[in-house]
Amino acid sequence: MSMFGLEESEIATLVRAVSGDTNLERQTIEDRFARATWSGLAEPGDRLAGRAVRQLGPSRALTAVVDHWSAARFAAELTQESDPVPEDDMRQAMERWLPRLKSDSALIALRQAARFGARLFTPEDALWPARLNDLDWHAPFALWVRGTDAALAGLVNGMALVGARAATGYGEHITMEASAGLVDRGYTIVSGAAYGIDGMAHRAAIASQGLTVAFLAGGVDRFYPSGHDSLLTRIVDNGAVISELPCGSPPTKWRFLQRNRLIAAASVATVVLEAGWRSGSLNTAGHAATLGRPLGAVPGPVTSAASAGCHRLIRDYDAVCVTNPDQMAELAPLDHEAGVLHPEPHSAAEDAGVLHSTETTRLLDALSARSARTTDDIAARSGLALAVVRARLGMLELDGRVSESERGWKQAATPSTPKNAQTRATVL
Amino acid sequence: MSMFGLEESEIATLVRAVSGDTNLERQTIEDRFARATWSGLAEPGDRLAGRAVRQLGPSRALTAVVDHWSAARFAAELTQESDPVPEDDMRQAMERWLPRLKSDSALIALRQAARFGARLFTPEDALWPARLNDLDWHAPFALWVRGTDAALAGLVNGMALVGARAATGYGEHITMEASAGLVDRGYTIVSGAAYGIDGMAHRAAIASQGLTVAFLAGGVDRFYPSGHDSLLTRIVDNGAVISELPCGSPPTKWRFLQRNRLIAAASVATVVLEAGWRSGSLNTAGHAATLGRPLGAVPGPVTSAASAGCHRLIRDYDAVCVTNPDQMAELAPLDHEAGVLHPEPHSAAEDAGVLHSTETTRLLDALSARSARTTDDIAARSGLALAVVRARLGMLELDGRVSESERGWKQAATPSTPKNAQTRATVL
């Protein structure tokens, strides 16, 4: 028998294995396999993919791609009275997804997951972090998890502690106090396993015998950063390491930004402990604010550039000034059952603005500075439609940020724009 | 002839002298003398005294006290349809005022004022700080001033910089930067001449050739604190020292608290630079908030108790988090069209640059590359205030341009390129 044109028996065996349930029925297996496939087919946060999976169900949405539905038919199936799907958007979406539709890529990811003891969670699972559903069409298709059930369940009391990689002694000190103090108050510490503030937040939680959860921007089979290999191994033993991307997926700048939305969405509140003016942690703060989650920031010396981002959040983005674990806990007291939070609807203009800079980010992520890549290859890696890739490469070439040789495209030797330019545009 | 039962000729001579006007008419002299008397009769902020003076005029209100009006009559004269004066309140008020009604106390204060060159200002004067009228019945009856007309006029652009006496090096540093930066932007620095933050605010303003005004809690004939005698003398020469209490009045705790209302009311905005959890400067902040004046607070390390009050203001009292002079100026931008004092011929940034480099040059000139020098020695050689020297040395040390040993400061052997130049420009 076959499933999406693949041999069904291996799929069933693998899905049962990574789901930790030997009694799954065929339709469940098909749905879970479809979600696993979607998690590698569309880039994190792909709104139209999320909408298709939500409206049609993961299997039928995947069938639409596998069967090469016309854009007109696909758009018509998704269109709701109040919210039409432009055929052109649908065509571009198919152009993003189809280059990645290789017959065995989901199987390879499943085999790798099984090898690493990673488990697959979908929204139907009891341990699925329900707050992620607040992301609506931007919610992840599935989660790949290495770690304990206790940590997943503990996400109900998750508090995000984030900050800059370039932390100062001051920043690390207050992070340690915050993490330990919040563990004492019953919170699970959520962060991104980066150097600096993130790493300290996880470490202090483990040292305090608390639960901690790390969201990664790449697959959970290969820890990033590699310098945090042993820390992440300890998090697997004492907490959970989670990604929405299947095993084998490398982290990219785009994926880091999207990973931040999971940290913010999975937590009752987000606290930025130390962050420079353009720190990536401000992006996490922006997601928290967009989701209506309480946001706190710890002040520091105004003479320290490492605290400038925190002051910016307090000053310009209504972050609450928090100076100790008690005040952080006040952001979202555990006594209160966290109600369902309603994500604010994005305006079309916002979407357009974000799309523009985010496409560039994804494109640059898909390029190498050393080896030239073909546009087909770049389209597959970036998850962008081939036509978009071609058009945007041309613009980037004009900016001197990419160059073309007869073997393909690569990043220009000396990028003329500051790396953080796009980050800044999308932050908040 | 007599005035309130006193010999009129000496009163007239003294009032003309302290008013700097030899052509005052009898009624004006009587009113000014009455206000001078009221300033010693009622404690600052005495609401019923303020109401009596406002409704009856200073002379008639004083006559009521001198003539021992019954509480019933006094209350009846003040009562307005919408706002009655309880007879009991009036009786208590008379019991407060009458014991102070000594026949010659106002004369003694006037003689002392004339001796010290202190001048008497009343609400009718062109140089009266009009914002004080926002205090309504709590407004001062008169102001006793030692200083320049320019400084009084400059109060139109007054910015209150206040903070704790127990300031840290961090607090003094940011106060110096704030004061100098605000002077560059055309503000007059208003503070309370206390040790710590207040003193630094005045000093840095003077060092920047700016205008500064100190409000005292006692008479302007005896400077308080005595350790700031020479600073206050310099403020008299370059700015103004003001009190609502007549000469000879000692400062009291109550008067300090009431003095704070004048600092807040006379200024366009108030900034608290460093303050502990219970610092008196929070009282000034409270007055500013009550008056609807913009309020800013500078954050600091959460590990420093000296900044706890600032964080409290930001967190619980809606103070704006301000981290540099630009943000402080944004609290109450000056109307340069009005061009009262400093129409800017060139940008504030240029001014700041010039100022800083000038001071830095003077400081480096006063240092040797071979022999260490004490801060006292450097202050004397450079002609800069000791506090300015200390603060700026700290910054130069960060830049690697000076070094400190136990014997003092000297120029660094190999001055590194000022890599912090940008930080300095943007942070403060």
Side-chain angles (χ1 to χ4, degrees):
Chain A
M1 288 177 65
S2 109
M3 196 172 271
F4 307 110
L6 299 169
E7 169 60 42
E8 187 177 321
S9 62
E10 188 187 3
I11 292 177
T13 306
L14 284 168
V15 168
R16 286 193 178 108
V18 298
S19 301
D21 186 344
T22 53
N23 297 317
L24 294 180
E25 292 177 2
R26 188 183 188 279
Q27 183 58 49
T28 308
I29 290 171
E30 184 176 309
D31 283 346
R32 293 179 83 83
F33 180 69
R35 284 190 172 274
T37 305
W38 272 111
S39 76
L41 202 58
E43 277 295 308
D46 185 320
R47 191 167 170 277
L48 214 42
R51 182 171 177 178
V53 169
R54 174 77 67 88
Q55 290 185 212
L56 307 181
S59 297
R60 185 166 163 76
L62 184 57
T63 298
V65 182
V66 171
D67 290 355
H68 287 62
W69 282 9
S70 71
R73 178 186 171 194
F74 209 158
E77 293 244 4
L78 292 184
T79 284
Q80 293 171 318
E81 198 175 330
S82 59
D83 199 353
V85 174
E87 194 180 317
D88 203 49
D89 289 3
M90 204 67 242
R91 183 173 301 111
Q92 288 174 28
M94 287 293 269
E95 285 172 12
R96 290 197 296 271
W97 304 332
L98 282 170
R100 288 189 175 176
L101 192 68
K102 300 208 175 91
S103 59
D104 56 354
S105 56
L107 272 179
I108 291 171
L110 280 169
R111 287 187 203 120
Q112 182 80 339
R115 193 173 304 132
F116 278 84
R119 289 182 293 160
L120 177 72
F121 286 85
T122 67
E124 296 73 31
D125 292 319
L127 284 174
W128 176 262
R131 278 195 206 88
L132 291 180
N133 299 336
D134 293 345
L135 290 166
D136 201 37
W137 288 340
H138 299 275
F141 308 105
L143 293 179
W144 302 87
V145 179
R146 289 173 69 184
T148 68
D149 285 356
L152 269 182
L155 272 179
V156 130
N157 296 334
M159 174 78 77
L161 295 185
V162 298
R165 279 166 295 179
T168 67
Y170 169 74
E172 294 192 338
H173 171 76
I174 57 175
T175 303
M176 192 195 63
E177 298 280 349
S179 182
L182 289 167
V183 160
D184 289 345
R185 287 162 182 77
Y187 292 88
T188 297
I189 305 304
V190 180
S191 196
Y195 291 124
I197 299 300
D198 285 19
M200 180 55 89
H202 292 301
R203 275 199 188 87
I206 294 171
S208 305
Q209 275 90 46
L211 295 174
T212 190
V213 173
F215 282 92
L216 299 190
V220 294
D221 55 329
R222 194 176 54 177
F223 289 153
Y224 185 92
S226 58
H228 273 176
D229 211 71
S230 69
L231 170 62
L232 282 158
T233 302
R234 287 168 63 208
I235 297 175
V236 167
D237 294 339
N238 297 279
V241 175
I242 305 178
S243 176
E244 65 183 308
L245 286 145
C247 290
S249 307
T252 64
K253 185 159 188 180
W254 168 258
R255 290 169 182 175
F256 279 111
L257 294 172
Q258 290 301 308
R259 179 277 308 269
N260 293 341
R261 88 190 191 290
L262 299 189
I263 292 175
S267 307
V268 288
T270 293
V271 175
V272 182
L273 287 118
E274 191 177 47
W277 188 256
R278 294 177 180 181
S279 165
S281 57
L282 302 193
N283 172 259
T284 312
H287 284 298
T290 303
L291 286 161
R293 299 274 195 276
L295 173 64
V298 179
V302 298
T303 46
S304 165
S307 284
C310 288
H311 298 147
R312 188 182 178 195
L313 289 173
I314 293 169
R315 184 178 157 74
D316 297 328
Y317 297 95
D318 272 337
V320 177
C321 174
V322 289
T323 66
N324 57 42
D326 273 334
Q327 294 179 351
M328 295 173 196
E330 277 177 39
L331 290 172
L334 290 190
D335 304 353
H336 293 274
E337 194 67 27
V340 177
L341 296 156
H342 304 286
E344 289 174 24
H346 303 276
S347 74
E350 266 177 357
D351 278 349
V354 169
L355 189 70
H356 180 80
S357 60
T358 54
E359 280 185 0
T360 302
T361 305
R362 284 164 61 173
L363 198 56
L364 289 173
D365 282 342
L367 286 169
S368 161
R370 286 186 297 269
S371 53
R373 287 174 181 165
T374 65
T375 45
D376 284 336
D377 186 13
I378 295 163
R381 286 173 188 267
S382 65
L384 295 170
L386 193 56
V388 173
V389 167
R390 286 211 187 95
R392 207 156 279 283
L393 278 173
M395 283 170 52
L396 287 171
E397 188 178 28
L398 288 178
D399 288 344
R401 298 173 72 181
V402 303
S403 63
E404 191 183 15
S405 68
E406 54 187 70
R407 278 168 306 147
W409 296 83
K410 51 182 189 175
Q411 286 182 20
T414 49
S416 57
T417 325
K419 273 185 181 178
N420 289 331
Q422 306 104 21
T423 312
R424 193 191 182 194
T426 53
V427 161
L428 297 171
Chain B
M1 287 177 66
S2 108
M3 196 173 270
F4 306 110
L6 298 169
E7 171 58 45
E8 188 176 321
S9 63
E10 189 187 2
I11 292 177
T13 304
L14 284 168
V15 168
R16 287 193 178 109
V18 298
S19 302
D21 186 344
T22 53
N23 297 318
L24 293 180
E25 291 178 3
R26 189 183 187 280
Q27 184 58 48
T28 307
I29 289 171
E30 185 176 310
D31 282 347
R32 293 178 83 84
F33 181 69
R35 283 191 173 273
T37 305
W38 271 112
S39 76
L41 203 58
E43 276 296 308
D46 186 319
R47 190 167 171 278
L48 215 41
R51 182 171 178 177
V53 168
R54 173 75 67 88
Q55 289 185 211
L56 307 181
S59 296
R60 186 166 162 77
L62 184 58
T63 298
V65 182
V66 171
D67 289 356
H68 288 61
W69 282 9
S70 71
R73 179 187 171 194
F74 209 158
E77 293 246 3
L78 292 185
T79 283
Q80 292 171 320
E81 199 174 331
S82 60
D83 200 352
V85 174
E87 192 180 317
D88 204 47
D89 288 4
M90 203 69 242
R91 182 174 301 111
Q92 287 174 29
M94 285 295 268
E95 285 171 11
R96 290 197 297 271
W97 303 334
L98 282 170
R100 288 193 176 173
L101 191 68
K102 297 203 177 99
S103 59
D104 56 353
S105 57
L107 270 179
I108 291 170
L110 279 169
R111 286 186 203 122
Q112 182 80 338
R115 192 174 304 133
F116 277 84
R119 289 181 294 161
L120 177 71
F121 287 86
T122 66
E124 296 74 30
D125 292 319
L127 285 174
W128 176 262
R131 276 196 208 88
L132 293 180
N133 300 337
D134 293 348
L135 289 166
D136 201 37
W137 289 338
H138 299 276
F141 307 105
L143 294 179
W144 303 85
V145 178
R146 289 172 70 184
T148 68
D149 285 356
L152 269 183
L155 273 180
V156 135
N157 296 335
M159 175 77 77
L161 295 185
V162 298
R165 280 166 294 179
T168 67
Y170 169 73
E172 294 193 340
H173 170 76
I174 58 176
T175 303
M176 190 200 67
E177 296 285 348
S179 182
L182 289 166
V183 161
D184 290 342
R185 287 161 181 78
Y187 292 88
T188 296
I189 305 304
V190 181
S191 197
Y195 291 124
I197 300 300
D198 286 18
M200 178 57 92
H202 293 300
R203 275 199 187 87
I206 294 171
S208 305
Q209 277 89 45
L211 295 174
T212 190
V213 173
F215 282 93
L216 298 189
V220 293
D221 55 329
R222 195 176 54 176
F223 289 152
Y224 185 91
S226 57
H228 273 177
D229 210 73
S230 69
L231 170 63
L232 282 158
T233 302
R234 287 169 63 208
I235 296 176
V236 167
D237 294 339
N238 298 279
V241 175
I242 304 180
S243 177
E244 64 182 309
L245 287 145
C247 289
S249 308
T252 64
K253 184 161 187 178
W254 169 259
R255 290 170 181 175
F256 278 111
L257 294 173
Q258 290 301 309
R259 180 276 309 269
N260 293 341
R261 89 190 191 291
L262 299 189
I263 291 175
S267 305
V268 288
T270 293
V271 174
V272 182
L273 288 118
E274 191 176 46
W277 188 256
R278 293 180 179 177
S279 164
S281 57
L282 301 193
N283 172 258
T284 312
H287 283 298
T290 303
L291 287 161
R293 300 272 196 276
L295 173 63
V298 179
V302 298
T303 46
S304 165
S307 285
C310 288
H311 298 147
R312 189 182 178 194
L313 289 173
I314 293 169
R315 186 179 155 73
D316 297 329
Y317 297 95
D318 272 337
V320 177
C321 174
V322 288
T323 66
N324 59 41
D326 273 334
Q327 294 180 351
M328 295 173 196
E330 276 176 38
L331 290 172
L334 295 188
D335 182 4
H336 289 295
E337 303 294 322
V340 180
L341 282 174
H342 290 261
E344 279 182 286
H346 44 284
S347 78
E350 272 176 358
D351 278 348
V354 169
L355 178 84
H356 289 173
S357 64
T358 306
E359 279 188 2
T360 302
T361 305
R362 281 164 63 178
L363 198 56
L364 289 174
D365 281 346
L367 286 167
S368 161
R370 285 184 298 269
S371 54
R373 287 175 181 164
T374 66
T375 46
D376 284 335
D377 186 15
I378 296 163
R381 288 172 187 267
S382 66
L384 295 169
L386 189 57
V388 174
V389 167
R390 284 207 190 101
R392 204 157 278 283
L393 279 172
M395 279 173 48
L396 287 171
E397 188 179 28
L398 289 177
D399 286 344
R401 299 173 72 179
V402 302
S403 64
E404 190 186 14
S405 68
E406 57 185 68
R407 278 169 306 148
W409 295 84
K410 50 183 188 174
Q411 286 182 20
T414 50
S416 61
T417 43
K419 57 186 170 185
N420 287 335
Q422 194 190 350
T423 310
R424 209 164 60 205
T426 53
V427 169
L428 269 170

